[in-house]
Amino acid sequence: MAYDLITMGRIGVDLYPLQTGVPLPQVTSFGKFLGGSATNVAVAAARLGRRTAVITRTGDDPFGTYLHEALRGFGVDDRWVTPVPGLPTPVTFCEVFPPDDFPLYFYRLPKAPDLEIDAHELDLDAIHDARVFWVTGTGLSEEPSRTATLAALAHRAKAGTTVFDLDWRPMFWKGTAGRGPAASARPFYQEALRHTTVAVGNLDEVEVATGVREPRAAAEALLDAGVELAVVKQGPKGVLAVNSKGESAEVPPLPVNVLNGLGAGDAFGGSLCHGLLEGHDLETIMRHANAAGAIVASRLECSSAMPTTDEIDVVLKAGAVL
């Protein structure tokens, strides 16, 4: 049976301080959580009842073992999560300064195992048959992951719904030939967009992909690049979605007391996939995805904070995260 969703990309261990408003040098206790954007999206969709799997790689170490256990606990198939000897499982620290300051510190050296995904190891039939396939911009940042990501997209050939999470992390990219990271990344983003039906990104990310920052113009540029649905996150202005049928929806954010904004975008992504699979109209999809993101923003952790359908319904009925 085909998966509802297969994601491909980052995985790691999130080590988040259990004290808010405290800089890392003074933090005395941390919580350990499953992390990585593509992985969190698979978890978020699984929480909504979807059959999901993730394609990624870990270190051959105890943290890698923990990630397998956590994936299974969340109901995400881990058959395509494989170890890379000699590379440690990545860890990510953050600082928590609500409502809008959450610095991230990635430990992905000498290289993250999830960038060692190889095209020759992909189950291309499963990728083609999945109802939704999700890839990220980080997967394009280094070889062999770059070639593997583009090969998976080309083989899928826009079957079903293919989502490109623009996921711009400049620290993962190197500039080339006198160009900065964004200019170096844009050709690979544009190639990925050729094989994509849905593109999702914030203002910085759509600018990297298209060279355009104004939300509606950026959405139109993404449609011109070949996608059928462009989703532009505008921060405090909410989210704008425009599709190739000429339909659009602009939804404001829900009121929420933010504890940790990290992971909200992944909850949004999982709910987006669920709404597309359900065949909901554009505004309904965006409202539910916004609510999912707001719920996670009100919680410390990411993966284990992903909401259920009932929790999203409660928030939508209340009009705020209470």
Side-chain angles (χ1 to χ4, degrees), residues 40-80:
N40 283 336
V41 170
V43 171
R47 276 284 175 90
L48 299 174
R50 295 298 173 181
R51 182 171 184 249
T52 72
V54 60
I55 301 169
T56 190
R57 307 197 73 181
T58 70
D60 188 8
D61 54 26
F63 274 149
T65 301
Y66 161 71
L67 295 177
H68 279 278
E69 293 173 350
L71 285 168
R72 294 169 194 149
F74 288 125
V76 177
D77 196 323
D78 64 343
R79 70 181 62 193
W80 297 305

Coordinates of all heavy atoms in Angstrom, one line a residue, residues 40-80:
N40 N 10.2 16.1 11.2 CA 9.0 16.7 11.9 C 7.8 16.7 11.1 O 6.7 16.6 11.6 CB 9.4 18.1 12.4 CG 10.3 18.0 13.7 OD1 10.3 17.1 14.4 ND2 11.0 19.1 13.9
V41 N 7.9 17.0 9.8 CA 6.7 17.1 8.9 C 6.1 15.7 8.9 O 4.8 15.5 8.9 CB 7.1 17.6 7.5 CG1 5.9 17.4 6.5 CG2 7.5 19.0 7.6
A42 N 6.9 14.6 8.8 CA 6.4 13.3 8.8 C 5.7 12.9 10.1 O 4.6 12.3 10.1 CB 7.5 12.3 8.5
V43 N 6.2 13.4 11.2 CA 5.6 13.2 12.5 C 4.3 13.9 12.6 O 3.3 13.4 13.0 CB 6.5 13.6 13.6 CG1 5.8 13.6 15.0 CG2 7.8 12.7 13.7
A44 N 4.3 15.2 12.1 CA 3.1 16.0 12.2 C 1.9 15.4 11.4 O 0.8 15.3 11.8 CB 3.4 17.4 11.6
A45 N 2.2 14.8 10.2 CA 1.2 14.2 9.4 C 0.7 12.9 10.0 O -0.4 12.5 10.0 CB 1.7 14.0 8.0
A46 N 1.7 12.2 10.6 CA 1.3 10.9 11.3 C 0.3 11.2 12.5 O -0.6 10.4 12.7 CB 2.6 10.2 11.8
R47 N 0.6 12.3 13.2 CA -0.3 12.7 14.3 C -1.8 12.9 13.8 O -2.7 12.8 14.5 CB 0.2 13.9 14.9 CG 1.2 13.7 16.0 CD 0.6 13.2 17.3 NE 1.6 12.8 18.3 CZ 2.1 13.6 19.2 NH1 1.7 14.9 19.3 NH2 3.0 13.2 20.1
L48 N -1.9 13.3 12.5 CA -3.2 13.6 11.9 C -3.7 12.3 11.2 O -4.7 12.4 10.5 CB -3.1 14.7 10.9 CG -2.6 16.0 11.5 CD1 -2.4 17.1 10.4 CD2 -3.6 16.5 12.5
G49 N -3.1 11.2 11.5 CA -3.7 9.9 11.0 C -3.1 9.4 9.7 O -3.6 8.4 9.1
R50 N -2.1 10.0 9.2 CA -1.5 9.7 7.9 C -0.4 8.6 8.0 O 0.3 8.6 9.0 CB -0.9 10.9 7.2 CG -2.0 11.9 6.8 CD -3.0 11.4 5.9 NE -4.2 12.2 5.6 CZ -5.2 11.9 4.8 NH1 -5.2 10.8 4.2 NH2 -6.2 12.8 4.7
R51 N -0.3 7.8 7.0 CA 0.7 6.8 6.9 C 2.0 7.4 6.3 O 2.0 7.8 5.1 CB 0.3 5.6 6.0 CG 1.3 4.4 6.0 CD 0.7 3.2 5.3 NE 1.7 2.1 5.3 CZ 2.3 1.6 4.3 NH1 2.1 2.1 3.1 NH2 3.2 0.6 4.4
T52 N 3.0 7.6 7.1 CA 4.2 8.4 6.7 C 5.5 7.6 6.8 O 5.6 6.7 7.6 CB 4.3 9.7 7.5 OG1 4.7 9.4 8.8 CG2 2.9 10.4 7.5
A53 N 6.5 8.1 6.1 CA 7.8 7.5 6.2 C 8.8 8.7 5.9 O 8.4 9.7 5.3 CB 8.0 6.4 5.2
V54 N 10.0 8.5 6.3 CA 11.1 9.5 6.1 C 12.3 8.8 5.5 O 12.7 7.7 5.9 CB 11.4 10.3 7.4 CG1 11.9 9.4 8.5 CG2 12.4 11.4 7.1
I55 N 12.9 9.5 4.5 CA 14.2 9.0 3.9 C 15.3 9.9 4.5 O 15.3 11.2 4.2 CB 14.1 9.1 2.4 CG1 13.0 8.3 1.8 CG2 15.5 8.7 1.8 CD1 12.7 8.5 0.3
T56 N 16.2 9.4 5.3 CA 17.2 10.2 5.8 C 18.3 9.2 6.4 O 18.2 8.0 6.2 CB 16.7 11.1 7.0 OG1 17.7 12.0 7.4 CG2 16.2 10.3 8.2
R57 N 19.4 9.8 7.0 CA 20.5 9.0 7.5 C 20.9 9.5 8.8 O 20.8 10.8 9.1 CB 21.6 8.9 6.5 CG 21.2 8.5 5.1 CD 22.4 8.0 4.3 NE 22.9 6.7 4.7 CZ 24.0 6.1 4.2 NH1 24.6 6.6 3.2 NH2 24.3 4.9 4.7
T58 N 21.4 8.7 9.7 CA 21.9 9.1 11.0 C 23.3 8.6 11.2 O 23.9 7.9 10.3 CB 21.1 8.4 12.1 OG1 21.3 7.0 12.1 CG2 19.6 8.6 11.9
G59 N 23.9 8.9 12.3 CA 25.2 8.3 12.7 C 24.9 6.9 13.2 O 23.8 6.5 13.6
D60 N 26.0 6.1 13.2 CA 25.9 4.7 13.7 C 26.3 4.8 15.2 O 27.4 4.4 15.6 CB 26.8 3.8 13.0 CG 26.6 2.3 13.3 OD1 25.7 2.0 14.1 OD2 27.4 1.5 12.9
D61 N 25.4 5.4 16.0 CA 25.7 5.7 17.4 C 24.4 5.7 18.3 O 23.4 5.5 17.7 CB 26.4 7.1 17.5 CG 25.7 8.2 16.8 OD1 24.4 8.1 16.7 OD2 26.3 9.2 16.4
P62 N 24.6 5.9 19.6 CA 23.4 5.8 20.4 C 22.3 6.9 20.1 O 21.1 6.6 20.2 CB 23.9 6.1 21.8 CG 25.3 5.5 21.8 CD 25.8 5.9 20.4
F63 N 22.7 8.1 19.6 CA 21.7 9.1 19.2 C 21.0 8.6 18.0 O 19.8 8.8 17.9 CB 22.4 10.4 19.0 CG 22.5 11.3 20.2 CD1 23.6 12.2 20.3 CD2 21.6 11.2 21.2 CE1 23.7 13.0 21.4 CE2 21.7 12.0 22.4 CZ 22.8 12.9 22.4
G64 N 21.6 7.9 17.1 CA 21.0 7.3 15.9 C 19.9 6.3 16.4 O 18.8 6.2 15.9
T65 N 20.3 5.4 17.4 CA 19.3 4.5 17.9 C 18.1 5.2 18.5 O 17.0 4.7 18.3 CB 20.0 3.6 19.0 OG1 21.2 2.9 18.4 CG2 19.1 2.6 19.6
Y66 N 18.4 6.2 19.2 CA 17.3 7.0 19.8 C 16.3 7.5 18.8 O 15.1 7.5 18.9 CB 17.8 8.2 20.6 CG 16.8 9.3 20.9 CD1 15.8 9.1 21.8 CD2 16.9 10.5 20.2 CE1 14.8 10.0 22.0 CE2 15.9 11.5 20.4 CZ 14.9 11.3 21.3 OH 13.9 12.2 21.5
L67 N 16.8 8.0 17.6 CA 16.0 8.6 16.6 C 15.1 7.5 16.0 O 13.9 7.7 15.7 CB 16.8 9.2 15.5 CG 17.6 10.5 16.0 CD1 18.5 11.0 14.9 CD2 16.6 11.5 16.5
H68 N 15.6 6.3 15.8 CA 14.8 5.2 15.3 C 13.7 4.9 16.3 O 12.5 4.7 15.9 CB 15.7 3.9 15.1 CG 16.4 3.9 13.8 ND1 15.8 3.5 12.6 CD2 17.7 4.2 13.5 CE1 16.7 3.6 11.6 NE2 17.9 4.0 12.2
E69 N 14.0 4.8 17.5 CA 13.0 4.5 18.6 C 11.9 5.6 18.6 O 10.7 5.3 18.7 CB 13.7 4.4 19.9 CG 14.6 3.2 20.1 CD 15.4 3.2 21.4 OE1 15.3 4.2 22.1 OE2 16.0 2.1 21.6
A70 N 12.3 6.9 18.5 CA 11.4 8.0 18.5 C 10.5 7.9 17.3 O 9.3 8.1 17.4 CB 12.1 9.3 18.6
L71 N 11.0 7.7 16.1 CA 10.2 7.6 14.9 C 9.2 6.5 15.0 O 8.0 6.8 14.7 CB 11.1 7.3 13.7 CG 12.0 8.5 13.1 CD1 13.0 8.0 12.1 CD2 11.1 9.5 12.5
R72 N 9.6 5.4 15.5 CA 8.6 4.3 15.6 C 7.5 4.6 16.6 O 6.3 4.3 16.5 CB 9.3 3.0 16.0 CG 10.2 2.4 15.0 CD 11.1 1.3 15.5 NE 12.2 1.0 14.6 CZ 13.4 0.5 15.0 NH1 13.6 0.4 16.3 NH2 14.3 0.2 14.2
G73 N 7.9 5.3 17.7 CA 7.0 5.8 18.7 C 5.9 6.7 18.2 O 4.8 6.7 18.6
F74 N 6.3 7.5 17.2 CA 5.4 8.5 16.6 C 4.6 7.8 15.4 O 3.8 8.5 14.8 CB 6.1 9.7 16.1 CG 6.6 10.6 17.2 CD1 7.9 11.0 17.3 CD2 5.7 11.1 18.1 CE1 8.4 11.8 18.3 CE2 6.2 11.9 19.1 CZ 7.5 12.3 19.2
G75 N 4.9 6.6 15.1 CA 4.2 5.9 14.0 C 4.7 6.3 12.6 O 4.0 6.1 11.6
V76 N 6.0 6.7 12.5 CA 6.6 7.0 11.2 C 7.5 5.8 10.8 O 8.4 5.4 11.6 CB 7.5 8.3 11.4 CG1 8.2 8.6 10.0 CG2 6.6 9.5 11.7
D77 N 7.4 5.4 9.6 CA 8.1 4.2 9.1 C 9.6 4.7 9.0 O 9.9 5.7 8.3 CB 7.6 3.8 7.8 CG 8.1 2.4 7.4 OD1 9.3 2.1 7.6 OD2 7.3 1.6 6.8
D78 N 10.5 3.9 9.6 CA 11.9 4.2 9.6 C 12.8 3.3 8.7 O 14.0 3.3 8.8 CB 12.5 4.2 11.0 CG 12.5 2.8 11.6 OD1 11.7 1.9 11.1 OD2 13.2 2.6 12.6
R79 N 12.1 2.6 7.8 CA 12.9 1.6 6.9 C 13.9 2.3 6.1 O 14.9 1.6 5.7 CB 11.9 0.8 6.1 CG 11.3 1.6 4.9 CD 10.3 0.7 4.1 NE 9.2 0.2 5.0 CZ 8.4 -0.7 4.6 NH1 8.5 -1.3 3.4 NH2 7.4 -1.1 5.4
W80 N 13.8 3.5 5.7 CA 14.8 4.2 4.9 C 15.6 5.2 5.7 O 16.2 6.1 5.1 CB 14.0 5.0 3.7 CG 13.3 4.0 2.8 CD1 13.8 2.9 2.1 CD2 11.9 4.1 2.5 NE1 12.9 2.3 1.4 CE2 11.7 3.0 1.6 CE3 10.9 4.9 2.8 CZ2 10.4 2.7 1.1 CZ3 9.6 4.7 2.3 CH2 9.4 3.6 1.4

